[in-house]
Amino acid sequence: MAPRSKEQFETIREEKKALILDVALELFATEGYHNSTISKISKNAGISKGLIYNYYSGKEELLEAVIRDGFSKMMEMMVPDDGILDTKEEFIELIDKIFDSVQTDKKYWKLYYSLMFQPGFEALYKKIFSEAMIEYDKIVCGYYKIKNIKNPEIMAYTFGAVIDGVSLGYILAPEFFPLEEIKKIIIEKFA
């Protein structure tokens, strides 16, 4: 059997990191951050605790990686192929992607909202959220600037607040938030 190449080792490394992030997200979202231990994460992932510590210095760094991964996916979702959100169709597609994410990535959103209000996580959230807001401003404020909307930043922040409110409501009580109908109203008001 031939030794593994650098590329094969890197592929294995990325797969293990993705597994750790997925299992950590699952446990953080369902059992809470404080009830999820590195031991539980390693057991559920079927790997050693040492392997987790090979990638992350501890549970806090792992949580930050989970949150950053989610924010990164959100930001990727927001950027159109040409890098500029400049058409109504692209904005509607963005809204579709956001609501698809809320429906399919419930664990991430549950974790996102639950940690937001827990003491001790403010600094972490502020740090990651501030970084994401720079990208959000470029994309969504940029759209409203292109459309010559008065106060594009305020419009973008209002849009974001509405999306957050609907998403939180849906995560807590989906039966009261018919997303398809709400999406139509949001498109009408913000696109």
Side-chain angles (χ1 to χ4, degrees), residues 136 156-166:
Y136 177 83
Y157 297 152
T158 304
F159 169 72
V162 168
I163 293 295
D164 276 344
V166 171

Side-chain angles (χ1 to χ4, degrees), residues 124-135:
L124 174 63
Y125 254 84
K126 189 172 185 176
K127 176 182 165 187
I128 297 171
F129 187 75
S130 295
E131 293 168 8
M133 284 306 291
I134 293 168
E135 290 303 310

